[in-house]
Amino acid sequence: MRVVVPYRVSDPKTRLAPVLDAEERVAFSRAMLDDVLAAVRGTDHAPEVLATEPLDAELPDPVAVDARPLTDAVNAVLAAAKEPVAVVAADLALATPAALERLFDADGEVVLAPGRGGGTNALLARHPEFRVDYHGASYRDHRSACEAVGARAATVDSYRLGTDVDEPADLVEVLLHGEGAASEWLRDRGFTLAVNGGRVGVRREGE
Amino acid sequence: MRVVVPYRVSDPKTRLAPVLDAEERVAFSRAMLDDVLAAVRGTDHAPEVLATEPLDAELPDPVAVDARPLTDAVNAVLAAAKEPVAVVAADLALATPAALERLFDADGEVVLAPGRGGGTNALLARHPEFRVDYHGASYRDHRSACEAVGARAATVDSYRLGTDVDEPADLVEVLLHGEGAASEWLRDRGFTLAVNGGRVGVRREGE
């Protein structure tokens, strides 16, 4: 099985702009990538990075570059693969080896880890004809895609894999449940939990 | 083991007021309760409702009334219990028997199912001294409470149990992943997914 981690190099995580400037978003996004790669390495599998352009830092893992949009780049990998392929988003800052193993070990010709707001945060494709479409409500669309090619779909019920980090409110999850570089990065930059009524938010020192 | 489902009868789900009027919030909250109770019944356990006031409708499950705030009412149950107690929020519209069984079967003297934004959506207390505090970042506080009484804490990693329904964006999760009365209720009232950029939202017919 191959485990591919798509990674957008330039201008990542634009929806975090209200709380992080452009340079910080690059660094934070990179910290999350490091956490995801470490979690994959903690399973029996080796990650491969699928980056939109060359990385400016060395990684212990192979990096392939494909400048096309995410959907096209992942589908090129799926079309060429001779074995099962897992695709794990680079912003799953809560991912652990145990959570990923549940994905990798699940039955099903296509296994989906749904993300908040209709996304597909991770998947495992064992069916040769399955292709991804990350636009819109991709979880629903991926289930339809399974039906269209006759692939038996399954879902992995994981809070850790279901939590992608796109918006300021998601930083709460990293602070509370993250165990790696991304949560450390946030703490180093002065982020702490802000407890008011309702759901907990984040605040930054001096703000 | 007892399984207690706390339920607020009057003026529930106030944060859904932007999309549901007061009467609708009562009905939707009740549909979610029905789903949670059905999910518990689908395990080897029988649910008990812990309501803030008498319900105006018959339920097949026992209903206890305690008008005190949630934390006090739950702690009274924990203090009186001679056996392990699970506490499952009434707004887990994605709960399934399989997800609940993972909570009920997990090791640990206190097992926590974290919810979005720092909450504790479900827990299982096997330690006689553990008490809850649902204010603020309860997941973090419950972990501290375990340390304070020397209870071995564990976490169950479940997207379904991690998804409580408080805010309009949460309705997306019910429409996408719900399989019971709550998702049917939303569909009957004209709610559908609204697919734009980023995370998927909801829209209502005629709006």
Side-chain angles (χ1 to χ4, degrees):
Chain A
M1 186 177 77
R2 296 173 57 187
V3 181
V4 175
V5 180
Y7 183 61
R8 177 174 169 178
V9 176
S10 304
D11 200 19
K13 297 289 139 203
T14 49
R15 282 187 279 158
L16 289 175
V19 294
L20 296 176
D21 68 29
E23 209 167 300
E24 289 175 324
R25 282 182 277 122
V26 167
F28 180 60
S29 152
R30 180 55 198 272
M32 292 199 289
L33 174 68
D34 286 344
D35 287 345
V36 170
L37 295 175
V40 176
R41 283 184 222 117
T43 71
D44 285 341
H45 302 280
E48 307 168 37
V49 178
L50 178 62
T52 50
E53 54 192 273
L55 294 180
D56 60 2
E58 287 283 304
L59 273 182
D61 315 291
V63 178
V65 173
D66 189 329
R68 287 176 290 178
L70 177 63
T71 295
D72 299 329
V74 168
N75 281 336
V77 172
L78 294 177
K82 305 281 188 235
E83 55 187 320
V85 177
V87 182
V88 179
D91 64 351
L92 305 187
L94 275 53
T96 56
L100 288 168
E101 272 160 6
R102 288 177 53 216
L103 172 71
F104 299 159
D105 295 347
D107 280 335
E109 289 175 300
V110 175
V111 186
L112 303 170
R116 177 101 184 149
T120 307
N121 287 359
L123 64 83
L124 168 55
R126 297 188 179 107
H127 190 288
E129 291 169 68
F130 175 79
R131 296 294 178 269
V132 298
D133 180 354
Y134 284 107
H135 301 103
S138 72
Y139 174 75
R140 184 186 57 180
D141 296 342
H142 287 150
R143 292 203 67 108
S144 303
C146 289
E147 278 177 42
V149 300
R152 199 163 32 86
T155 298
V156 60
D157 176 27
S158 169
Y159 188 81
R160 289 188 172 278
L161 301 184
T163 304
D164 50 335
V165 180
D166 287 320
E167 301 177 357
D170 303 330
L171 301 182
V172 174
E173 309 303 322
V174 183
L175 287 172
L176 273 170
H177 305 293
E179 297 164 8
S183 63
E184 195 183 325
W185 190 94
L186 286 177
R187 271 179 253 278
D188 284 351
R189 268 71 185 176
F191 283 93
T192 54
L193 296 181
V195 179
N196 298 308
R199 285 176 181 159
V200 173
V202 290
R203 63 184 297 276
R204 193 167 186 175
E205 233 167 56
E207 284 177 16
Chain B
M1 187 177 79
R2 295 173 57 187
V3 182
V4 175
V5 180
Y7 183 62
R8 177 173 169 181
V9 175
S10 302
D11 200 20
K13 297 289 137 201
T14 50
R15 284 188 277 157
L16 288 175
V19 294
L20 295 177
D21 68 30
E23 207 168 301
E24 289 174 325
R25 282 183 278 122
V26 168
F28 180 60
S29 153
R30 181 56 199 274
M32 293 200 288
L33 174 68
D34 287 342
D35 286 344
V36 170
L37 296 175
V40 176
R41 283 184 222 117
T43 70
D44 285 340
H45 303 279
E48 307 167 37
V49 177
L50 178 62
T52 50
E53 54 192 273
L55 294 179
D56 60 1
E58 287 284 306
L59 273 182
D61 314 292
V63 178
V65 173
D66 190 329
R68 287 177 289 178
L70 177 62
T71 295
D72 299 328
V74 168
N75 280 337
V77 172
L78 294 176
K82 306 283 185 233
E83 56 186 319
V85 177
V87 182
V88 179
D91 63 351
L92 305 187
L94 275 52
T96 55
L100 288 168
E101 273 160 6
R102 288 178 52 216
L103 171 72
F104 299 158
D105 295 346
D107 280 336
E109 289 175 300
V110 175
V111 185
L112 304 169
R116 177 100 184 149
T120 307
N121 287 359
L123 63 84
L124 168 54
R126 297 188 178 108
H127 189 288
E129 290 170 68
F130 175 80
R131 296 292 179 271
V132 298
D133 180 354
Y134 284 107
H135 301 105
S138 73
Y139 175 76
R140 185 186 58 181
D141 297 342
H142 287 150
R143 293 203 67 108
S144 304
C146 288
E147 280 177 39
V149 301
R152 197 161 35 83
T155 298
V156 60
D157 175 27
S158 169
Y159 189 83
R160 289 188 172 278
L161 301 184
T163 304
D164 50 334
V165 180
D166 287 321
E167 301 177 355
D170 304 329
L171 301 183
V172 173
E173 309 303 324
V174 183
L175 287 172
L176 272 170
H177 305 292
E179 297 165 6
S183 63
E184 194 183 326
W185 189 95
L186 286 177
R187 271 179 252 278
D188 284 351
R189 267 73 184 176
F191 283 92
T192 53
L193 297 181
V195 180
N196 299 308
R199 285 175 182 160
V200 173
V202 290
R203 63 185 298 276
R204 194 167 184 174
E205 232 167 58
E207 283 176 15

